[in-house]
């Protein structure tokens, strides 16, 4: 189910087809009769049928299903029991003087594959349900705008046709007694020959018996095709393709306009009108909802295509060089020089250039461009070159075929793989330094017997300089320190990196020391503490709980007191003393215990 809801969408170009193309339309109403005449019914049919009969020796290029009705819309329908969900929905409103604001909708879906597979057949449309809308809002039946219907447009290719430009414009616009005139300017057309030019409309809610001021004007000329579509009642429930006047409250009409356009025109102005005074001087107007407009115009155009010949990759470099060829084959006109070319990587624009030469029909030119792939993109890429693309999906040249401007190639950059390894850890031997065996990291690497090199920086790896000479006995210089290793591999070497982490390992606290100046065990030597836990605090208490010493990284305990009025500087007697060691490290709690001082 679509999430795209467009309110009162102006009629704009939806798709363009250039080549030996034409179109036909088929569909049916879900109204049992014209709602303006038969006022007894306030519902719609659950299904209706229509036949598709393609001309011989033609190929379906595109097919679109449209369905419309009163209310806010039904996004899910079926065609020959095949479920179809809307690609988009359009809504318009009419402020009725009696019933207030009323909403009408139209949906469409691309069903090219389904129509191509099914081919010529009777198509049954079902699943469009607006019964709740009609039940809950009496305005639709009250003002006789209760309607529903469907239509399929089929664009096809026929080798016997001239070169045509088929433009499909769509949206949803409304005219009524409140807005009696609508002008729609269709641009993006290219008239090179007006012979056989035609224009088609899909419209809803037209009534045959409401013919007050109702007209279609093309470039200031009223068009008609009587008796089916008279000049003063263009939207009257008819289907030009079947010559039917029972397409109740819907119109699938097509008109020849070769006398209404001129060679060289690049736009067509369409004016729709409704509303006029009846014999009693009262304003009467039909409510008409325009869903789409399609033009078929003879056209002579170039056709730019591109081919990627080769993409040159370099090891460890995100620059790529693309060799390509631009063609103007299967065309009917010269392709001018300076046609823009866009280069995308995974749909992200990474470069642009232009064609150099004017290319006559059947000609080509070679080119080369070097572009840089952004670091944000992965190594596995889809490279797309698009000719006639300014870099945002739009072009500068009208072509026979606007859908064949791209060339693709999947590549994998020869970027040097850089992979992290688990860190090597060792205990602090002082001032955040320790000795490491760097070769222990190779347990995490598949070396395939290759000679491995260790470096202190990424730049050293790239330049292959300043290799670490003795990796089995290496002292870190900072903490943490990143070490890089280089492993030869095809097509490029691999780089791994890991950190050297110096840890504060638990200190070892002795239970006795002898401060007798014999040069042996003369101080309370807590191994793994000094110059490792640099912020530590040591507190010594006597057996009575009196604090007699406070020390830090610069003040070890040598058996003397530095606290207390009577004890400061004195050598303490033999005995048991108690300590509190505050390591001031979040990984450790306060350590407490006893030590025996022996003279």
């Amino acid at each position: 189910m679509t999430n795209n809801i467009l309110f009162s969408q102006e009629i704009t170009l939806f798709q363009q087809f250039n080549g030996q193309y034409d179109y036909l339309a088929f569909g049916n109403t879900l109204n049992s009769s014209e709602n303006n005449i038969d006022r007894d019914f306030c519902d719609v049919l659950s299904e209706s049928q229509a036949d598709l009969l393609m001309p011989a020796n033609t190929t379906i290029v595109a097919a679109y299903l449209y369905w419309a009705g009163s209310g806010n819309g039904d996004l899910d329908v079926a065609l020959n029991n095949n479920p179809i969900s809307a690609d988009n929905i359009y809504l318009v409103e009419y402020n009725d003087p009696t019933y207030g604001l009323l909403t009408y909708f139209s949906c469409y879906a691309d069903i090219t594959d389904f129509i191509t597979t099914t081919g010529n057949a009777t198509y049954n449309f079902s699943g469009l349900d607006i019964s709740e809308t009609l039940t809950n809002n009496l305005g639709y039946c009250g003002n006789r705008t209760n309607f529903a219907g469907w239509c399929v447009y089929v664009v096809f290719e026929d080798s016997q046709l001239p070169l045509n430009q088929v433009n499909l414009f769509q949206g949803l616009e409304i005219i009524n007694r409140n807005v009696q005139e609508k002008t729609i300017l269709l641009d993006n057309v290219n008239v090179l020959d007006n012979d056989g030019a035609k224009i088609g409309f899909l419209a809803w809610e037209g009534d045959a018996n409401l013919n007050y001021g109702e007209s279609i004007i093309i470039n200031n000329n009223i068009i008609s095709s009587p008796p089916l579509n008279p000049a003063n009642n263009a939207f009257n429930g008819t289907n030009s393709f079947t010559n039917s006047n029972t397409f109740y409250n819907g119109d699938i009409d097509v008109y020849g306009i070769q006398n209404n356009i001129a060679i060289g025109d690049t736009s067509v102005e369409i004016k729709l009108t409704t509303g006029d005074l009846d014999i009693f001087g009262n304003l009467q107007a039909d409510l008409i909802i325009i869903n789409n407009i399609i033009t078929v115009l003879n056209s002579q155009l170039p056709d730019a295509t591109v081919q990627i010949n080769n993409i040159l990759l370099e090891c460890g470099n995100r620059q790529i060089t693309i060799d390509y060829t631009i063609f103007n084959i299967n065309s009917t006109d010269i392709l001018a020089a300076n046609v823009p070319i866009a280069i995308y990587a995974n749909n992200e624009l990474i470069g642009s250039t232009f064609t150099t030469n004017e290319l006559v029909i059947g000609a080509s030119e070679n080119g080369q461009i070097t572009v840089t792939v952004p670091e944000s993109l992965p190594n596995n890429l889809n490279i797309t070159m698009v000719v006639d693309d300014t870099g945002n999906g739009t072009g500068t040249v009208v072509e026979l075929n606007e859908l064949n401007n791209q060339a693709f190639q999947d590549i994998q950059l020869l970027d040097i793989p850089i992979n992290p390894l688990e860190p090597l850890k060792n205990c602090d031997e002082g001032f955040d330094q320790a000795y490491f065996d760097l070769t222990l990291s190779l347990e995490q690497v598949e070396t395939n017997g290759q000679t491995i090199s260790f470096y202190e920086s990424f730049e050293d790896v790239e330049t292959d300089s300043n290799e670490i000479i003795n990796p089995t006995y290496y002292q870190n210089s900072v903490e943490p320190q990143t070490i890089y290793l280089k492993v030869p591999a095809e097509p490029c070497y691999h780089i791994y990196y890991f950190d050297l982490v110096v840890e504060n390992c638990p200190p070892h606290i002795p239970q006795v020391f002898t401060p007798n100046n014999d040069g042996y065990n003369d101080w309370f030597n807590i191994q793994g503490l000094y110059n490792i836990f640099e912020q530590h605090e040591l507190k010594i208490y006597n057996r009575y709980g009196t604090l007699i010493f406070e020390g830090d990284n610069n003040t070890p305990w040598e058996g003397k007191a530095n606290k207390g009025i009577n004890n400061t500087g004195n050598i303490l007697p033999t005995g048991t003393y108690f300590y509190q060691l505050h390591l001031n490290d979040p990984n450790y709690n306060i350590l407490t215990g006893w030590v025996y001082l022996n003279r």
Side-chain angles (χ1 to χ4, degrees), residues 60-122:
I60 294 172
V61 175
Y64 304 99
L65 170 64
Y66 300 87
W67 65 96
S70 308
N72 291 315
D74 185 347
L75 302 175
D76 297 292
V77 295
L79 200 59
N80 289 358
N81 295 318
N82 181 67
I84 296 173
S85 294
D87 294 336
N88 216 330
I89 180 171
Y90 304 128
L91 302 174
V92 291
E93 293 177 339
Y94 167 57
N95 193 3
D96 186 273
T98 302
Y99 299 101
L101 202 63
L102 300 174
T103 303
Y104 309 89
F105 78 93
S106 173
C107 298
Y108 78 88
D110 186 332
I111 58 169
T112 304
D113 292 341
F114 177 69
I115 294 295
T116 301
T117 301
T118 307
N120 290 336
T122 296

Side-chain angles (χ1 to χ4, degrees), residues 22-37:
D22 202 346
Y23 92 103
L24 59 80
F26 69 99
N28 208 341
T29 181
L30 291 175
N31 281 27
S32 57
S33 61
E34 183 176 307
N35 58 26
N36 186 59
I37 299 175

Side-chain angles (χ1 to χ4, degrees), residues 279-421:
I279 59 175
F280 304 107
N282 298 316
L283 176 65
Q284 302 288 342
D286 200 356
L287 186 149
I288 301 163
I289 302 170
I290 305 300
N291 201 161
N292 62 48
I293 302 170
I294 189 166
T295 61
V296 181
L297 308 170
N298 183 253
S299 188
Q300 229 175 324
L301 299 167
D303 186 29
T305 58
V306 59
Q307 174 181 295
I308 297 175
N309 302 319
N310 183 50
I311 299 181
L312 178 64
L313 309 173
E314 293 185 13
C315 212
N317 195 334
R318 295 185 74 81
Q319 283 190 338
I320 61 173
T321 299
I322 306 173
D323 293 320
Y324 61 90
T325 303
I326 304 297
F327 300 91
N328 183 33
I329 57 178
N330 296 324
S331 61
T332 56
D333 202 0
I334 295 171
L335 179 66
N338 298 314
V339 176
I341 304 168
I343 300 94
Y344 298 88
N346 288 6
N347 299 319
E348 180 176 328
L349 182 68
I350 61 172
S352 61
T353 185
F354 295 87
T355 60
T356 303
N357 303 305
E358 182 180 85
L359 299 181
V360 299
I361 298 172
S364 64
E365 72 172 30
N366 295 322
Q368 184 181 88
I369 184 173
T370 298
V371 293
T372 300
V373 177
E375 294 286 344
S376 58
L377 295 179
N379 287 349
N380 293 321
L381 297 165
N382 175 263
I383 300 298
T384 304
M385 292 197 73
V386 188
V387 62
D388 193 26
D389 183 351
T390 59
N392 58 8
T394 61
T396 62
V397 179
V398 179
E399 301 177 63
L400 280 176
N401 187 350
E402 298 284 0
L403 305 178
N404 63 350
N405 291 18
Q406 301 181 347
F408 308 90
Q409 185 168 323
D410 292 330
I411 65 169
Q412 181 171 358
L413 294 179
L414 300 180
D415 206 1
I416 301 170
I418 303 174
N419 300 299
L421 300 176

Side-chain angles (χ1 to χ4, degrees), residues 441-503:
S441 64
L442 299 181
E443 297 175 0
Q444 307 175 57
V445 179
E446 182 60 56
T447 64
N448 295 319
Q450 299 289 331
T451 301
I452 310 303
S453 305
F454 293 87
Y455 301 88
E456 293 182 336
S457 71
F458 185 80
E459 291 73 18
D460 286 346
V461 177
E462 290 187 312
T463 59
D464 207 15
S465 58
N466 302 316
E467 180 182 352
I468 296 174
I469 302 302
N470 186 6
T472 60
Y473 192 69
Y474 178 81
Q475 185 180 47
N476 66 298
S477 56
V478 295
E479 202 289 322
Q481 181 174 353
T482 303
I483 298 297
Y484 301 84
L485 61 93
K486 182 177 182 179
V487 180
E490 292 296 334
C492 299
Y493 58 85
H494 292 186
I495 296 176
Y496 297 87
Y497 66 93
F498 57 92
D499 284 342
L500 301 181
V501 177
V502 178
E503 296 184 311

